[in-house]
Amino acid sequence: MPVMYNRVALIGLGLIAGSMSLAIRRGKLAGEIVGFAKSAETRAVAQEINLVDRVVASAAEAVQDADLIVLAVPVGAMGSVMAEIAPHLKPGAVVTDVGSVKRSVFDAVIPHIPTGVHFIGTHPMAGTEHSGPRSGFATLFDNRWCLIVPPEGVDQSELDRLCAFWRGIGSNIEIMEPDHHDLVCAVVSHTPHLIAYTMVGVADDLRRVTDQEVIKFSAAGFRDFTRIAASDPTMWRDVFLTNKDATLEILGRFTEELFALQRAIRQGDGQQLFDYFTRTRAIRRGIIEAGQDTSAPDFGRAPTKS
Ligand code: NAP
């Protein structure tokens, strides 16, 4: 694959930016990767592990002469970072973000985009519960979806180039409109995270079940909630503050379904429970058939001694 952008600037050096850097290198997609993160500590780690080609001390310096600028900071920080870099962008540069929410990022970022600079939103649908500069890995995006969210009036050739870049990183591409993106993500990502946070919180509050029992028997299902509920608190706080409407809508539907199942349990309506679980099992099968997860028992985890 040929070099697609001469200089790529990564603002933020956490899980997503770090994984992008490693995948960009693997695919030889950029001439140089420059990186900046807020804290001196993160910058020092990035330098130490050679995460990017050059770590710099300010966002302004990072975007100097950059052809592609990737905003890989928490959603709530996108607007201020964009305002800071705007005067330093070269004409013709492309700014993209990888935020988990799109409408609020559009509202915060687009007003600062200078004339002659392009903006296109993206959201790689891949992640782990880890964060920070040491958490990235080159294969994170392989065979995962990256949703590309162009603004109205996007430059078609820049859109095509960014799509090809994400394919080079390993992703499958789908173009989506911002509000629809936020609704889809509320269903497949945001609300499930909130439910996992809640379930782990409930277990923590239940003093009749000891902490040791919760940990010892967690493989019964709880463990997968705890993995999701270990996700970065800053990132997820910002997701819920900025994707409020869609998350509340899905949460409302979730609560109604939960009440219906609660009633079925109370009334001993086994048929309703059976039918419901049969429907949900088919969804799991669809995810496996689409290559988005493994059908191995226990998600392919190696058996542990207990
Ligand atoms: P992360 O590992 O916590 O990294 C965030 C990075 O942003 C850190 O390097 C942090 O620097 C930096 N940062 C924060 N505020 C900044 C500022 N004002 N200026 C410059 N740098 C700043 O987070 P992540 O998981 O990579 O997430 C980054 C973005 O990707 C978020 O918008 C998130 O919604 C999105 N996303 C995440 C996932 C996921 O599963 N994790 C998946 C898809 C998309 P310090 O370390 O110095 O604080």
Side-chain angles (χ1 to χ4, degrees):
M1 175 96 47
V3 165
M4 310 206 63
Y5 296 97
N6 264 335
R7 181 173 294 171
V8 173
L10 301 174
I11 310 297
L13 291 170
L15 170 71
I16 299 297
S19 300
M20 283 183 76
S21 183
L22 299 172
I24 292 168
R25 267 194 195 145
R26 180 187 67 177
K28 300 186 172 52
L29 304 173
E32 187 189 25
I33 308 167
V34 184
F36 168 74
K38 191 176 53 171
S39 71
E41 190 189 342
T42 296
R43 295 198 297 270
V45 171
Q47 185 118 42
E48 179 201 325
I49 63 174
N50 190 28
L51 191 61
V52 292
D53 301 330
R54 195 154 52 88
V55 178
V56 294
S58 72
E61 196 183 339
V63 305
Q64 209 76 55
D65 213 26
D67 304 284
L68 176 70
I69 297 93
V70 182
L71 307 179
V73 299
V75 170
M78 296 281 181
S80 59
V81 169
M82 188 58 224
E84 194 184 335
I85 62 172
H88 308 281
L89 298 170
K90 78 170 179 187
V94 177
V95 177
T96 188
D97 77 288
V98 291
S100 306
V101 178
K102 286 275 98 64
R103 175 55 67 192
S104 87
V105 170
F106 271 41
D107 291 348
V109 165
I110 290 178
H112 299 292
I113 297 285
T115 312
V117 170
H118 308 277
F119 171 73
I120 302 169
T122 61
H123 180 195
M125 302 286 285
T128 73
E129 67 279 25
H130 301 298
S131 54
R134 293 188 194 275
S135 59
F137 54 101
T139 54
L140 176 64
F141 308 109
D142 286 356
N143 199 31
R144 297 281 170 243
W145 288 101
C146 181
L147 305 179
I148 308 278
V149 186
E152 272 176 39
V154 69
D155 181 304
Q156 189 61 43
S157 62
E158 291 302 348
L159 177 62
D160 293 343
R161 181 152 68 134
L162 192 63
C163 289
F165 177 74
W166 271 104
R167 284 197 196 94
I169 283 179
S171 295
N172 306 318
I173 296 303
E174 182 122 336
I175 306 241
M176 220 175 248
E177 182 274 325
D179 294 320
H180 189 65
H181 165 278
D182 289 356
L183 184 63
V184 168
C185 290
V187 175
V188 301
S189 171
H190 304 167
T191 311
H193 271 79
L194 196 71
I195 293 163
Y197 279 123
T198 315
M199 192 57 229
V200 175
V202 166
D204 190 43
D205 289 343
L206 250 185
R207 294 292 166 218
R208 276 173 299 155
V209 179
T210 66
D211 286 352
Q212 266 178 356
E213 283 170 316
V214 168
I215 292 164
K216 187 171 171 188
F217 302 120
S218 68
F222 184 69
R223 184 175 60 184
D224 296 308
F225 280 108
T226 64
R227 187 187 64 73
I228 296 172
S231 299
D232 189 70
T234 306
M235 171 189 155
W236 285 97
R237 176 202 63 196
D238 286 7
V239 165
F240 293 118
L241 291 179
T242 56
N243 198 17
K244 211 179 195 169
D245 294 346
T247 312
L248 288 178
E249 187 190 327
I250 302 305
L251 210 52
R253 287 168 187 251
F254 173 82
T255 317
E256 283 173 25
E257 298 274 307
L258 196 63
F259 279 140
L261 290 180
Q262 199 176 346
R263 198 181 50 234
I265 293 169
R266 185 178 304 112
Q267 293 177 344
D269 187 345
Q271 192 60 48
Q272 188 184 346
L273 295 172
F274 185 85
D275 291 346
Y276 202 94
F277 301 157
T278 304
R279 188 153 62 89
T280 55
R281 188 177 221 193
I283 293 173
R284 171 79 190 152
R285 224 173 281 135
I287 291 170
I288 291 159
E289 277 163 21
Q292 296 295 304
D293 208 344
T294 167
S295 62
D298 204 15
F299 304 98
R301 287 186 179 104
T304 48
K305 292 190 193 112
S306 60

